[in-house]
Amino acid sequence: MSCKYTITSGLPYANGPLHIGHIAGAYLPADIYTRVRKLSGDDAIYICGTDEYGVPITITAEKEDVSPRVIVKRYHQEIKEGFKNLNIQFDNFSGTSNLHNKHHAALAREFFTELKKNDYISSKIDDQLHCKECDRFLADRYVEGTCPKCGNDEARGDECSVCNAQYTVMELGSPKCKLCSNGTLSKVPTKHWYLKLDVLQAKLEEWIDSKDYWKENVVNFVKGWFKDGLRERAITRDLHWGVPVPLNDAAGKVLYVWFDAPIGYISSTIEWAEKQGDKDKWKEYWQNPDAKIVHFIGKDNIPFHSIIWPAMLIGQKKDYQLPWHIPANEYLNIGIDGEEGAKASTSKGNVVWVNDYCKHFAADYLRYYLALNAPEKSDFTFTWKDLQARCNNELLGVLGNLANRVLKFIGSNFEGVIPTPEDLDARDNEVLEKIQHSVAKVTKSYDNFEVRQAVAEVVNLGRVGNQYFDEKAPWKTAKSDRKVCGNTLYVTAQLVHKIVLLLTPVIPESCDKLWKQLGYENGISSWDELQKDLPAGQKIHKPQGVFSKIEDKVIQQMEENLRNASQTEQEQPKVELVPLKEDKISYDQFSALDIRMGKVLEAEKVAKTKKLLHLKVDIGHEVRQIIAGLAEHYTPEELIGKTVPVLVNLEPAKIRGLVSEGMVLCADIDGQAITLHPGKKVCPGATVR
RNA sequence: GGUGAAGUAGCUCAGUGGUAGAGCAGUGGAAUCAUAAUCCAUUGGUCGGGGGUUCAAAUCCCUCCUUCACUACCA
């Protein structure tokens, strides 16, 4: 029976390019699932677009001194390109700003208005910082001031870069605007609106309870939130880059980016409907109880899709359907074969960019490898060597070789015509049954979002084919017994036929080529073919190798690139020059500081902490106990015996129950502490002036 | 320290109560239809440690250790 499916993947944020982690978690599984649904005769649409509002984009824009539109346009293009190169096919790919979608803002406003009408939105007025020069309210990250805890003058809005204290921006001393650098900030009351999630909790819990078929990790996560109790959540911000809040008293305010982003799924569908020439058609996919809505996301996106987004939909009191399934995936890590601890991290440059990949390899290799290793239940570690091995051994060795040897054999011994089976023996029938069994297993796995199992089973089928072919040795029977030989080729041709069909959602391009080699004129359009045989008597086309071997040289090059990327990032950290302090201090203030050279006598990690070292430092007059946050940068052994400057008259403080009587002074390279050592020998207790 | 996830063969991973698995890598063989692609055989594991429940535990319970992600500790 045919069903309707509305399939989406988390909207990629238009502030950077795609890497293969994105693909493995959210886009490839969705693309494969959509293809499966369509092949099965379901009415499925795959909807996506870039997420184009919010603060990070405005920051990038300001760094480059361009409008946010320029940034959005650039990355929208780049991301779209990446998807196209990897054959990720959307029915519609839009974007949330009016640059790409003229329906989005209106729909987002409607969502807000409706929630407000139904009393799911509250508002309150709080003080926020306002810059007179720029004439605007400032988001936390645009504010700089004095840390309320450590007195650091360059503390960020919500967190101090020196002592890492967290606070609200209101606690910051003498706050300044980072944008115009001399703007004086004043606290001005401003109104914001909140989604009353607490009111919706009971309904959400009831809904989640019906999801016994969801993945455990998703359900557990959501239940954790319920346990703590849902809280109101701000859905507006003082910002210009976003959807304006549709209220009279909301000038200069926009909807928070996470509020409008999921609405992008619907607005993109509206755009699609319009292109179809039936502008109300989107309702069949969002307001129809028979439509199954599936959101593919990475695990970081679980709270938004399984709590906040459904809450927004419930609050509409319209016919919106809640998600049917949210198959959240785990993460992809990047490793280098034979080297340790290389975990994926964009900031370390330890990342494989989609557009880089596509310069060197065909889409199907990555699609195959990521489908086979989809991070469905746990994180997965990608390595280039493994990709090479899998593609060469399985894609080329098992599957490609099977297709090639069978088709070539039919070409040279049966004039390129599929032989007619005659008196099949027990072994032949056994293989034919195995094919049916695998077809059932694979389609079921696809239906259950178990792509890796589906792919593994197809490869298995390929192995069975090679085994059978070797066993039957048709190159011998071709001379001795043509009937048996024909049967063998008939059976293996059926195997190839089914393998090609089953793998087409994963590697569509290659399967399409093979399909045509099997003698079909048109591409694969339906899995009805799975129930049919490759007809005896069909004339095949001349086979050509579809997969080529991935050479060591290219893989070594890719590994080298990866290694270089992570090293340059690690060894040459970009230091953003912190602006000079403008406030002058008196000599008296300076001389109030008692800084001495101290020799580290003992050092050990404070138990059960990551960053803290327990130091005993000889400062001449006495030995001080100092607790320093250096454990991530230095081992105790590296510090023992070193002479370093110490601020000794800082008032003692208790850290994790231990009294710290001073502070080791270090250079700060983007949070990395670097110890300072005197150029000549200095005895402990020497003053520093 | 809190929360969550994980620890199974050299590597990447399956396996949720019933004789420890796959692929790759390693070793030994066979075959020559096929892009040297295949096939057969084989080496390799006190399933992180310890305790418990059970006739039976990789699997359930307790505890400890380690790793990862968020988070806390940075005077």
Side-chain angles (χ1 to χ4, degrees), chain A residues 88-162:
Chain A
I88 309 273
Q89 277 176 6
F90 303 102
D91 287 273
N92 199 56
F93 190 82
S94 186
T96 57
S97 74
N98 57 9
L99 208 60
H100 296 116
N101 189 323
K102 61 181 178 184
H103 301 286
H104 182 77
L107 186 65
R109 281 196 295 270
E110 185 188 310
F111 257 76
F112 181 91
T113 309
E114 183 73 14
L115 284 168
K116 188 144 193 325
K117 191 179 97 190
N118 296 328
D119 198 26
Y120 289 121
I121 288 184
S122 62
S123 65
K124 64 183 167 210
I125 296 174
D126 276 318
D127 280 350
Q128 291 242 324
L129 295 173
H130 184 267
C131 176
K132 272 180 202 153
E133 302 281 327
C134 310
D135 186 29
R136 63 168 150 192
F137 286 95
L138 292 172
D140 293 356
R141 48 205 310 173
Y142 292 121
V143 181
E144 186 177 272
T146 309
C147 173
K149 275 195 166 179
C150 73
N152 165 33
D153 282 1
E154 297 136 16
R156 290 182 208 156
D158 55 351
E159 187 188 77
C160 174
S161 53
V162 171

Side-chain angles (χ1 to χ4, degrees), chain A residues 517-583:
Chain A
Q517 289 181 18
L518 284 171
Y520 293 92
E521 293 307 320
N522 301 315
I524 302 169
S525 59
S526 164
W527 265 0
D528 289 350
E529 292 286 344
L530 279 175
Q531 304 311 320
K532 299 178 192 164
D533 293 337
L534 172 60
Q538 175 150 309
K539 181 98 173 79
I540 61 166
H541 293 149
K542 197 174 178 215
Q544 264 180 328
V546 170
F547 307 106
S548 54
K549 198 166 181 176
I550 299 178
E551 301 295 340
D552 291 347
K553 222 167 58 184
V554 194
I555 292 298
Q556 278 160 15
Q557 184 60 49
M558 299 314 281
E559 286 191 329
E560 197 56 33
N561 292 349
L562 196 58
R563 208 172 283 131
N564 289 343
S566 34
Q567 273 172 11
T568 46
E569 290 289 332
Q570 277 166 11
E571 285 174 7
Q572 304 168 358
K574 284 175 222 144
V575 182
E576 236 175 85
L577 273 189
V578 179
L580 298 173
K581 293 180 189 178
E582 289 186 6
D583 296 339

Side-chain angles (χ1 to χ4, degrees), chain A residues 25-46:
Chain A
Y27 305 104
L28 181 62
D31 182 63
I32 291 172
Y33 190 70
T34 306
R35 288 171 187 270
V36 166
R37 297 275 56 95
K38 288 180 176 175
L39 286 164
S40 304
D42 292 319
D43 174 11
I45 53 172
Y46 182 20

